[in-house]
Amino acid sequence: MKYIMFEDFSGAPIPVIFPNRIDHLEMREQMPYTKVLSAGYISHGPEGFRCHGSSKELEAHAGDGDAVIITAKFTDVES
């Protein structure tokens, strides 16, 4: 899978995960957020999420803390 980490309208990081067959640039063009923080590939294994690689089209690469942010989005429970 691929992902792009955007900055949302409040300044918080927001990940968007999508299939490999969609280009990073195609997905970026569909999103209303103006700032791309990072982009690359994501996988999930026994140790959790792993973010790696980059997007040449967006001139962005996977960030060191991206997996932590994505994990938190899957484990946060809103009341």
Side-chain angles (χ1 to χ4, degrees):
M1 302 286 287
K2 293 180 181 177
Y3 80 99
I4 302 173
M5 188 75 67
F6 292 97
E7 181 177 275
D8 74 7
F9 301 118
S10 69
I14 184 83
V16 176
I17 300 171
F18 52 98
N20 286 343
R21 68 179 176 271
I22 300 172
D23 292 332
H24 281 103
L25 186 57
E26 287 177 297
M27 181 57 71
R28 198 276 166 266
E29 291 172 346
Q30 300 301 314
M31 302 308 294
Y33 306 117
T34 57
K35 187 173 182 181
V36 172
L37 301 174
S38 57
Y41 296 85
I42 184 167
S43 57
H44 188 267
E47 296 180 10
F49 288 107
R50 179 177 170 267
C51 297
H52 54 95
S54 64
S55 167
K56 291 180 183 178
E57 305 94 350
L58 301 181
E59 297 180 357
H61 61 277
D64 291 337
D66 290 353
V68 173
I69 293 167
I70 292 169
T71 298
K73 296 293 184 184
F74 279 97
T75 57
D76 283 348
V77 179
E78 294 185 23
S79 306

